[in-house]
Amino acid sequence: MQPQQNNLLETDLLKTFVTISETGNFTVAAKRVFRTPSAVSMQIRRLEDQLGRALFVRHPRHVTLTADGEAFLVHAKDILRINDEALSRFRVPQLEGRVRFGAPDDFGVRYLPAILSRFAATHPLVEVEVFLSTSVILARRFEAAEIDMILTVSAQSDPAPGQVIHSEPLVWVGARDGMAFSRTPVPLALSSHGCPWRAAALAALDKASRRYRIAYTSEAAAGQLAAVMADLAIAPLPVSLVDEQHRRLTEKEGFGAIGSYQLRLQKNPDIGSAAQAFADHVRESFGRQE
DNA sequence: CAGTACCTCCTCTGATGAAG
DNA sequence: CTTCATCAGAGGAGGTACTG
């Protein structure tokens, strides 16, 4: 692979590269950047030719970053961020203000860093005050007008207030080589009372006439995962939290479908333009328009 | 300076092979 | 059988050099 004598990196290629690194998949990334998979494939080949290094390891069903790809990703994100900052500096009037945003703890760990980072790049003068807690507590503070907007989780069938911005299946999860799922009664690590995941999971077990005992309760998914990793219990969790350290339990082990959960955005009707911009940004981060 | 021909690049469709 | 990355060939857009 001979490096090309081109000293300028194209932001289009960088955007595609970053998108693939996020999705781990050329086809999904192609949809996100509104190009065909073949066009994306060629863009990456062009970038690799320009750098003289392979950026991805091609697996049968997905791609992963090489060590060079990991290193280049940091620079690619920096360049795109600077690009966004430069554009936003001249394209849109600078919004100022403050937004009080509440979200579930797990959301804070998983999604918030990227959302805050991108929002800060385009709205550097807006102060974001973040409240992380359970959906129940967040709803209470939202009702008391202590928070401008909140994200809450609800069951698929639950007629909860707010706009659905994300939906995802819940699955039963155990430790990768664990045996907790085979015990009778099966030990569970659940979220706190009031969480729709908890109700949906128990309903699924009741429906299957499966005997269980609640061994651990945690307000955050991290607490449930700790019990799962120690093989002390199994837990109902969003499918996106399952990785190579876990074992996804299915009908084969006697754990059928739980259903899905929804992430809903509620906002105060009379929020300012800065808070409105943040609400739009959160929605767009999940691919939803108002 | 405008028009034309040629070249390069990009994206598309459709096909292919690998792998689950 | 399905999914995925990649390849080949075709067509379009834009840039450049040439000509009158």
Side-chain angles (χ1 to χ4, degrees):
Chain A
M1 197 178 283
Q2 292 297 315
Q4 292 179 356
Q5 297 305 309
N6 181 354
N7 292 328
L8 291 176
L9 291 163
E10 292 176 48
T11 50
D12 268 354
L13 304 193
L14 299 181
K15 175 74 179 165
T16 300
F17 167 67
V18 171
T19 304
I20 296 171
S21 76
E22 289 169 354
T23 61
N25 180 304
F26 275 39
T27 302
V28 176
K31 286 176 184 164
R32 282 207 197 169
V33 298
F34 304 106
R35 287 198 162 82
T36 60
S38 58
V40 163
S41 173
M42 278 189 272
Q43 281 189 323
I44 294 305
R45 191 173 59 185
R46 204 147 45 90
L47 191 55
E48 290 177 329
D49 285 348
Q50 187 177 5
L51 297 171
R53 306 284 182 93
L55 296 172
F56 291 105
V57 180
R58 275 76 165 172
H59 303 284
R61 297 265 169 179
H62 68 289
V63 295
T64 52
L65 287 167
T66 61
D68 286 325
E70 294 274 8
F72 184 65
L73 181 62
V74 177
H75 298 293
K77 285 182 174 175
D78 279 347
I79 293 167
L80 290 173
R81 178 181 51 75
I82 292 167
N83 181 74
D84 288 348
E85 282 174 10
L87 285 174
S88 63
R89 168 69 180 77
F90 294 98
R91 274 189 176 172
V92 296
Q94 289 285 292
L95 274 179
E96 294 186 42
R98 176 162 163 259
V99 52
R100 298 170 299 175
F101 173 66
D105 294 293
D106 305 327
F107 174 89
V109 175
R110 292 162 65 199
Y111 299 113
L112 213 46
I115 288 176
L116 290 179
S117 166
R118 287 196 297 268
F119 186 72
T122 52
H123 300 83
L125 301 182
V126 176
E127 176 191 349
V128 182
E129 192 173 355
V130 176
F131 300 85
L132 298 180
S133 189
T134 64
S135 293
V136 176
I137 293 173
L138 289 172
R140 201 177 298 147
R141 298 192 68 175
F142 178 71
E143 287 298 323
E146 295 172 8
I147 305 178
D148 299 317
M149 71 190 75
I150 57 169
L151 281 173
T152 54
V153 294
S154 65
Q156 185 99 50
S157 53
D158 190 0
Q163 183 196 13
V164 176
I165 63 166
H166 180 62
S167 182
E168 189 178 344
L170 292 166
V171 295
W172 287 105
V173 179
R176 187 178 62 182
D177 300 316
M179 295 302 292
F181 72 89
S182 63
R183 295 188 203 122
T184 303
V186 64
L188 305 180
L190 296 179
S191 44
S192 307
H193 285 282
C195 174
W197 301 5
R198 179 188 177 105
L202 294 180
L205 290 179
D206 288 338
K207 190 178 173 189
S209 302
R210 181 97 188 197
R211 289 179 57 208
Y212 61 83
R213 70 180 180 88
I214 299 170
Y216 298 90
T217 300
S218 168
E219 288 191 349
Q224 293 174 261
L225 280 171
V228 167
M229 294 306 293
D231 196 29
L232 297 172
I234 65 168
L237 292 167
V239 68
S240 63
L241 279 181
V242 182
D243 63 24
E244 69 277 359
Q245 302 176 77
H246 309 128
R247 172 176 182 170
R248 181 175 167 175
L249 303 168
T250 62
E251 291 280 4
K252 199 170 71 178
E253 293 89 7
F255 296 93
I258 304 172
S260 295
Y261 84 95
Q262 295 177 328
L263 203 53
R264 290 172 177 270
L265 177 67
Q266 292 181 69
K267 62 179 199 292
N268 190 316
D270 52 4
I271 56 176
S273 51
Q276 181 59 53
F278 188 77
D280 292 342
H281 176 74
V282 170
R283 257 194 304 273
E284 284 163 15
S285 296
F286 286 97
R288 302 294 173 99
Q289 308 292 324
E290 189 163 34

